[in-house]
PDB file of all heavy atoms in Angstrom:
ATOM      1  N   ALA A1465       5.790  14.068  21.399  1.00 55.00           N
ATOM      2  CA  ALA A1465       6.612  13.271  20.443  1.00 55.00           C
ATOM      3  C   ALA A1465       5.818  12.091  19.883  1.00 55.00           C
ATOM      4  O   ALA A1465       5.919  11.740  18.704  1.00 55.00           O
ATOM      5  CB  ALA A1465       7.844  12.723  21.193  1.00 55.00           C
ATOM      6  N   MET A1466       4.942  11.498  20.732  1.00 56.00           N
ATOM      7  CA  MET A1466       4.153  10.361  20.286  1.00 56.00           C
ATOM      8  C   MET A1466       3.099  10.864  19.212  1.00 56.00           C
ATOM      9  O   MET A1466       2.865  10.207  18.178  1.00 56.00           O
ATOM     10  CB  MET A1466       3.445   9.708  21.450  1.00 56.00           C
ATOM     11  CG  MET A1466       2.569   8.590  21.061  1.00 56.00           C
ATOM     12  SD  MET A1466       1.822   7.812  22.537  1.00 56.00           S
ATOM     13  CE  MET A1466       0.816   6.501  21.762  1.00 56.00           C
ATOM     14  N   LEU A1467       2.486  11.985  19.498  1.00 56.00           N
ATOM     15  CA  LEU A1467       1.491  12.559  18.618  1.00 56.00           C
ATOM     16  C   LEU A1467       2.143  12.928  17.280  1.00 56.00           C
ATOM     17  O   LEU A1467       1.570  12.685  16.213  1.00 56.00           O
ATOM     18  CB  LEU A1467       0.853  13.772  19.216  1.00 56.00           C
ATOM     19  CG  LEU A1467      -0.006  13.538  20.495  1.00 56.00           C
ATOM     20  CD1 LEU A1467      -0.478  14.900  21.047  1.00 56.00           C
ATOM     21  CD2 LEU A1467      -1.163  12.657  20.205  1.00 56.00           C
ATOM     22  N   GLU A1468       3.342  13.449  17.327  1.00 60.00           N
ATOM     23  CA  GLU A1468       4.070  13.832  16.108  1.00 60.00           C
ATOM     24  C   GLU A1468       4.480  12.614  15.309  1.00 60.00           C
ATOM     25  O   GLU A1468       4.423  12.575  14.104  1.00 60.00           O
ATOM     26  CB  GLU A1468       5.299  14.695  16.492  1.00 60.00           C
ATOM     27  CG  GLU A1468       6.066  15.181  15.302  1.00 60.00           C
ATOM     28  CD  GLU A1468       5.296  16.179  14.475  1.00 60.00           C
ATOM     29  OE1 GLU A1468       4.475  16.885  14.999  1.00 60.00           O
ATOM     30  OE2 GLU A1468       5.576  16.277  13.240  1.00 60.00           O
ATOM     31  N   ALA A1469       4.950  11.535  15.996  1.00 55.00           N
ATOM     32  CA  ALA A1469       5.439  10.360  15.334  1.00 55.00           C
ATOM     33  C   ALA A1469       4.341   9.722  14.546  1.00 55.00           C
ATOM     34  O   ALA A1469       4.545   9.204  13.406  1.00 55.00           O
ATOM     35  CB  ALA A1469       6.015   9.379  16.343  1.00 55.00           C
ATOM     36  N   PHE A1470       3.135   9.674  15.100  1.00 56.00           N
ATOM     37  CA  PHE A1470       2.013   9.018  14.434  1.00 56.00           C
ATOM     38  C   PHE A1470       1.110  10.036  13.680  1.00 56.00           C
ATOM     39  O   PHE A1470       0.020   9.616  13.262  1.00 56.00           O
ATOM     40  CB  PHE A1470       1.161   8.223  15.448  1.00 56.00           C
ATOM     41  CG  PHE A1470       1.899   7.007  16.005  1.00 56.00           C
ATOM     42  CD1 PHE A1470       2.608   7.065  17.179  1.00 56.00           C
ATOM     43  CD2 PHE A1470       1.870   5.805  15.263  1.00 56.00           C
ATOM     44  CE1 PHE A1470       3.252   5.955  17.640  1.00 56.00           C
ATOM     45  CE2 PHE A1470       2.563   4.688  15.735  1.00 56.00           C
ATOM     46  CZ  PHE A1470       3.259   4.754  16.933  1.00 56.00           C
ATOM     47  N   ASN A1471       1.585  11.256  13.596  1.00 60.00           N
ATOM     48  CA  ASN A1471       0.873  12.305  12.825  1.00 60.00           C
ATOM     49  C   ASN A1471      -0.547  12.567  13.389  1.00 60.00           C
ATOM     50  O   ASN A1471      -1.419  12.963  12.629  1.00 60.00           O
ATOM     51  CB  ASN A1471       0.824  11.918  11.361  1.00 60.00           C
ATOM     52  CG  ASN A1471       0.643  13.137  10.484  1.00 60.00           C
ATOM     53  OD1 ASN A1471       1.028  14.242  10.833  1.00 60.00           O
ATOM     54  ND2 ASN A1471       0.050  12.912   9.302  1.00 60.00           N
ATOM     55  N   MET A1472      -0.740  12.334  14.651  1.00 60.00           N
ATOM     56  CA  MET A1472      -2.065  12.513  15.233  1.00 60.00           C
ATOM     57  C   MET A1472      -2.366  13.906  15.638  1.00 60.00           C
ATOM     58  O   MET A1472      -3.535  14.278  15.854  1.00 60.00           O
ATOM     59  CB  MET A1472      -2.202  11.573  16.483  1.00 60.00           C
ATOM     60  CG  MET A1472      -2.090  10.078  16.171  1.00 60.00           C
ATOM     61  SD  MET A1472      -2.161   9.046  17.637  1.00 60.00           S
ATOM     62  CE  MET A1472      -3.845   9.263  18.149  1.00 60.00           C
ATOM     63  N   ASN A1473      -1.296  14.728  15.725  1.00 59.00           N
ATOM     64  CA  ASN A1473      -1.538  16.118  16.082  1.00 59.00           C
ATOM     65  C   ASN A1473      -2.084  16.964  14.941  1.00 59.00           C
ATOM     66  O   ASN A1473      -2.434  18.112  15.095  1.00 59.00           O
ATOM     67  CB  ASN A1473      -0.219  16.760  16.598  1.00 59.00           C
ATOM     68  CG  ASN A1473       0.873  16.691  15.544  1.00 59.00           C
ATOM     69  OD1 ASN A1473       0.799  15.957  14.576  1.00 59.00           O
ATOM     70  ND2 ASN A1473       1.974  17.424  15.784  1.00 59.00           N
ATOM     71  N   ALA A1474      -2.153  16.376  13.736  1.00 58.00           N
ATOM     72  CA  ALA A1474      -2.683  17.079  12.542  1.00 58.00           C
ATOM     73  C   ALA A1474      -4.159  16.918  12.436  1.00 58.00           C
ATOM     74  O   ALA A1474      -4.725  17.508  11.511  1.00 58.00           O
ATOM     75  CB  ALA A1474      -1.951  16.588  11.309  1.00 58.00           C
ATOM     76  N   PHE A1475      -4.781  16.113  13.251  1.00 69.00           N
ATOM     77  CA  PHE A1475      -6.185  15.782  13.086  1.00 69.00           C
ATOM     78  C   PHE A1475      -6.996  15.966  14.342  1.00 69.00           C
ATOM     79  O   PHE A1475      -6.505  15.791  15.462  1.00 69.00           O
ATOM     80  CB  PHE A1475      -6.325  14.327  12.572  1.00 69.00           C
ATOM     81  CG  PHE A1475      -5.508  14.040  11.360  1.00 69.00           C
ATOM     82  CD1 PHE A1475      -4.384  13.201  11.458  1.00 69.00           C
ATOM     83  CD2 PHE A1475      -5.913  14.483  10.128  1.00 69.00           C
ATOM     84  CE1 PHE A1475      -3.662  12.934  10.355  1.00 69.00           C
ATOM     85  CE2 PHE A1475      -5.127  14.200   9.017  1.00 69.00           C
ATOM     86  CZ  PHE A1475      -4.029  13.421   9.124  1.00 69.00           C
ATOM     87  N   ASN A1476      -8.239  16.300  14.109  1.00 72.00           N
ATOM     88  CA  ASN A1476      -9.218  16.330  15.193  1.00 72.00           C
ATOM     89  C   ASN A1476     -10.052  15.069  15.081  1.00 72.00           C
ATOM     90  O   ASN A1476     -10.856  14.897  14.208  1.00 72.00           O
ATOM     91  CB  ASN A1476     -10.112  17.560  15.006  1.00 72.00           C
ATOM     92  CG  ASN A1476     -11.168  17.665  16.092  1.00 72.00           C
ATOM     93  OD1 ASN A1476     -11.278  16.789  16.984  1.00 72.00           O
ATOM     94  ND2 ASN A1476     -11.925  18.710  16.054  1.00 72.00           N
ATOM     95  N   LEU A1477      -9.801  14.137  16.025  1.00 74.00           N
ATOM     96  CA  LEU A1477     -10.448  12.838  15.964  1.00 74.00           C
ATOM     97  C   LEU A1477     -11.950  12.882  16.229  1.00 74.00           C
ATOM     98  O   LEU A1477     -12.611  11.856  16.069  1.00 74.00           O
ATOM     99  CB  LEU A1477      -9.738  11.860  16.954  1.00 74.00           C
ATOM    100  CG  LEU A1477      -8.352  11.442  16.621  1.00 74.00           C
ATOM    101  CD1 LEU A1477      -7.787  10.470  17.688  1.00 74.00           C
ATOM    102  CD2 LEU A1477      -8.308  10.727  15.273  1.00 74.00           C
ATOM    103  N   THR A1478     -12.418  14.022  16.634  1.00 76.00           N
ATOM    104  CA  THR A1478     -13.911  14.088  16.856  1.00 76.00           C
ATOM    105  C   THR A1478     -14.662  14.391  15.577  1.00 76.00           C
ATOM    106  O   THR A1478     -15.862  14.468  15.600  1.00 76.00           O
ATOM    107  CB  THR A1478     -14.211  15.151  17.928  1.00 76.00           C
ATOM    108  OG1 THR A1478     -13.823  16.441  17.434  1.00 76.00           O
ATOM    109  CG2 THR A1478     -13.470  14.861  19.219  1.00 76.00           C
ATOM    110  N   THR A1479     -13.895  14.646  14.513  1.00 81.00           N
ATOM    111  CA  THR A1479     -14.556  14.859  13.176  1.00 81.00           C
ATOM    112  C   THR A1479     -14.270  13.702  12.265  1.00 81.00           C
ATOM    113  O   THR A1479     -13.276  12.977  12.428  1.00 81.00           O
ATOM    114  CB  THR A1479     -14.005  16.151  12.539  1.00 81.00           C
ATOM    115  OG1 THR A1479     -12.613  15.975  12.202  1.00 81.00           O
ATOM    116  CG2 THR A1479     -14.166  17.360  13.486  1.00 81.00           C
ATOM    117  N   ILE A1480     -15.096  13.471  11.327  1.00 85.00           N
ATOM    118  CA  ILE A1480     -14.944  12.335  10.413  1.00 85.00           C
ATOM    119  C   ILE A1480     -13.694  12.460   9.557  1.00 85.00           C
ATOM    120  O   ILE A1480     -13.015  11.501   9.243  1.00 85.00           O
ATOM    121  CB  ILE A1480     -16.206  12.165   9.520  1.00 85.00           C
ATOM    122  CG1 ILE A1480     -16.178  10.829   8.811  1.00 85.00           C
ATOM    123  CG2 ILE A1480     -16.421  13.304   8.624  1.00 85.00           C
ATOM    124  CD1 ILE A1480     -16.125   9.603   9.685  1.00 85.00           C
ATOM    125  N   SER A1481     -13.376  13.706   9.202  1.00 85.00           N
ATOM    126  CA  SER A1481     -12.136  13.950   8.334  1.00 85.00           C
ATOM    127  C   SER A1481     -10.938  13.642   9.183  1.00 85.00           C
ATOM    128  O   SER A1481      -9.976  13.012   8.662  1.00 85.00           O
ATOM    129  CB  SER A1481     -12.104  15.392   7.875  1.00 85.00           C
ATOM    130  OG  SER A1481     -13.193  15.684   6.985  1.00 85.00           O
ATOM    131  N   GLY A1482     -10.909  14.092  10.395  1.00 81.00           N
ATOM    132  CA  GLY A1482      -9.726  13.808  11.266  1.00 81.00           C
ATOM    133  C   GLY A1482      -9.567  12.320  11.547  1.00 81.00           C
ATOM    134  O   GLY A1482      -8.450  11.808  11.518  1.00 81.00           O
ATOM    135  N   PHE A1483     -10.691  11.622  11.739  1.00 83.00           N
ATOM    136  CA  PHE A1483     -10.595  10.169  12.032  1.00 83.00           C
ATOM    137  C   PHE A1483     -10.095   9.417  10.810  1.00 83.00           C
ATOM    138  O   PHE A1483      -9.284   8.547  10.934  1.00 83.00           O
ATOM    139  CB  PHE A1483     -11.970   9.651  12.505  1.00 83.00           C
ATOM    140  CG  PHE A1483     -11.865   8.265  13.050  1.00 83.00           C
ATOM    141  CD1 PHE A1483     -11.487   8.043  14.376  1.00 83.00           C
ATOM    142  CD2 PHE A1483     -12.228   7.177  12.253  1.00 83.00           C
ATOM    143  CE1 PHE A1483     -11.391   6.759  14.862  1.00 83.00           C
ATOM    144  CE2 PHE A1483     -12.157   5.879  12.777  1.00 83.00           C
ATOM    145  CZ  PHE A1483     -11.765   5.692  14.100  1.00 83.00           C
ATOM    146  N   PHE A1484     -10.604   9.813   9.598  1.00 88.00           N
ATOM    147  CA  PHE A1484     -10.088   9.122   8.401  1.00 88.00           C
ATOM    148  C   PHE A1484      -8.645   9.441   8.159  1.00 88.00           C
ATOM    149  O   PHE A1484      -7.885   8.631   7.684  1.00 88.00           O
ATOM    150  CB  PHE A1484     -10.912   9.571   7.168  1.00 88.00           C
ATOM    151  CG  PHE A1484     -10.408   9.011   5.874  1.00 88.00           C
ATOM    152  CD1 PHE A1484     -10.655   7.692   5.564  1.00 88.00           C
ATOM    153  CD2 PHE A1484      -9.631   9.743   5.021  1.00 88.00           C
ATOM    154  CE1 PHE A1484     -10.152   7.177   4.409  1.00 88.00           C
ATOM    155  CE2 PHE A1484      -9.131   9.245   3.852  1.00 88.00           C
ATOM    156  CZ  PHE A1484      -9.403   7.912   3.539  1.00 88.00           C
ATOM    157  N   GLY A1485      -8.178  10.656   8.602  1.00 86.00           N
ATOM    158  CA  GLY A1485      -6.794  10.972   8.461  1.00 86.00           C
ATOM    159  C   GLY A1485      -5.881  10.036   9.239  1.00 86.00           C
ATOM    160  O   GLY A1485      -4.805   9.645   8.763  1.00 86.00           O
ATOM    161  N   VAL A1486      -6.336   9.606  10.446  1.00 84.00           N
ATOM    162  CA  VAL A1486      -5.589   8.648  11.190  1.00 84.00           C
ATOM    163  C   VAL A1486      -5.696   7.287  10.612  1.00 84.00           C
ATOM    164  O   VAL A1486      -4.729   6.520  10.569  1.00 84.00           O
ATOM    165  CB  VAL A1486      -6.053   8.681  12.701  1.00 84.00           C
ATOM    166  CG1 VAL A1486      -5.379   7.571  13.475  1.00 84.00           C
ATOM    167  CG2 VAL A1486      -5.775  10.019  13.309  1.00 84.00           C
ATOM    168  N   MET A1487      -6.869   6.923  10.171  1.00 88.00           N
ATOM    169  CA  MET A1487      -7.123   5.595   9.535  1.00 88.00           C
ATOM    170  C   MET A1487      -6.305   5.482   8.276  1.00 88.00           C
ATOM    171  O   MET A1487      -5.937   4.331   7.847  1.00 88.00           O
ATOM    172  CB  MET A1487      -8.594   5.434   9.242  1.00 88.00           C
ATOM    173  CG  MET A1487      -9.519   5.286  10.443  1.00 88.00           C
ATOM    174  SD  MET A1487      -9.552   3.621  11.069  1.00 88.00           S
ATOM    175  CE  MET A1487     -10.518   2.784   9.805  1.00 88.00           C
ATOM    176  N   PHE A1488      -5.996   6.556   7.579  1.00 91.00           N
ATOM    177  CA  PHE A1488      -5.287   6.513   6.308  1.00 91.00           C
ATOM    178  C   PHE A1488      -3.979   5.758   6.437  1.00 91.00           C
ATOM    179  O   PHE A1488      -3.637   4.980   5.562  1.00 91.00           O
ATOM    180  CB  PHE A1488      -5.028   7.981   5.878  1.00 91.00           C
ATOM    181  CG  PHE A1488      -4.122   8.073   4.634  1.00 91.00           C
ATOM    182  CD1 PHE A1488      -4.714   7.960   3.376  1.00 91.00           C
ATOM    183  CD2 PHE A1488      -2.747   8.253   4.729  1.00 91.00           C
ATOM    184  CE1 PHE A1488      -3.931   8.028   2.201  1.00 91.00           C
ATOM    185  CE2 PHE A1488      -1.983   8.351   3.572  1.00 91.00           C
ATOM    186  CZ  PHE A1488      -2.555   8.222   2.374  1.00 91.00           C
ATOM    187  N   THR A1489      -3.246   5.966   7.557  1.00 88.00           N
ATOM    188  CA  THR A1489      -1.953   5.268   7.658  1.00 88.00           C
ATOM    189  C   THR A1489      -2.136   3.769   7.757  1.00 88.00           C
ATOM    190  O   THR A1489      -1.319   3.025   7.141  1.00 88.00           O
ATOM    191  CB  THR A1489      -1.260   5.760   9.001  1.00 88.00           C
ATOM    192  OG1 THR A1489      -1.049   7.163   8.917  1.00 88.00           O
ATOM    193  CG2 THR A1489       0.063   5.041   9.177  1.00 88.00           C
ATOM    194  N   PHE A1490      -3.144   3.320   8.408  1.00 89.00           N
ATOM    195  CA  PHE A1490      -3.416   1.890   8.539  1.00 89.00           C
ATOM    196  C   PHE A1490      -3.892   1.285   7.225  1.00 89.00           C
ATOM    197  O   PHE A1490      -3.571   0.142   6.866  1.00 89.00           O
ATOM    198  CB  PHE A1490      -4.346   1.658   9.678  1.00 89.00           C
ATOM    199  CG  PHE A1490      -3.885   2.104  11.003  1.00 89.00           C
ATOM    200  CD1 PHE A1490      -4.324   3.307  11.546  1.00 89.00           C
ATOM    201  CD2 PHE A1490      -2.882   1.392  11.698  1.00 89.00           C
ATOM    202  CE1 PHE A1490      -3.892   3.762  12.764  1.00 89.00           C
ATOM    203  CE2 PHE A1490      -2.407   1.862  12.914  1.00 89.00           C
ATOM    204  CZ  PHE A1490      -2.871   3.041  13.455  1.00 89.00           C
ATOM    205  N   PHE A1491      -4.710   2.053   6.502  1.00 94.00           N
ATOM    206  CA  PHE A1491      -5.096   1.626   5.169  1.00 94.00           C
ATOM    207  C   PHE A1491      -3.880   1.495   4.264  1.00 94.00           C
ATOM    208  O   PHE A1491      -3.755   0.543   3.477  1.00 94.00           O
ATOM    209  CB  PHE A1491      -6.109   2.616   4.531  1.00 94.00           C
ATOM    210  CG  PHE A1491      -7.502   2.459   5.049  1.00 94.00           C
ATOM    211  CD1 PHE A1491      -8.235   3.594   5.388  1.00 94.00           C
ATOM    212  CD2 PHE A1491      -8.103   1.206   5.100  1.00 94.00           C
ATOM    213  CE1 PHE A1491      -9.587   3.467   5.783  1.00 94.00           C
ATOM    214  CE2 PHE A1491      -9.426   1.061   5.528  1.00 94.00           C
ATOM    215  CZ  PHE A1491     -10.164   2.193   5.906  1.00 94.00           C
ATOM    216  N   ALA A1492      -2.944   2.455   4.351  1.00 93.00           N
ATOM    217  CA  ALA A1492      -1.754   2.432   3.543  1.00 93.00           C
ATOM    218  C   ALA A1492      -0.944   1.185   3.910  1.00 93.00           C
ATOM    219  O   ALA A1492      -0.362   0.517   2.987  1.00 93.00           O
ATOM    220  CB  ALA A1492      -0.948   3.690   3.800  1.00 93.00           C
TER     221      ALA A1492
END
Side-chain angles (χ1 to χ4, degrees):
M1466 180 179 178
L1467 295 176
E1468 181 68 27
F1470 291 95
N1471 203 27
M1472 297 177 69
N1473 58 347
F1475 306 106
N1476 179 357
L1477 289 181
T1478 64
T1479 66
I1480 190 63
S1481 295
F1483 191 80
F1484 177 76
V1486 174
M1487 292 277 287
F1488 174 85
T1489 301
F1490 299 102
F1491 280 134

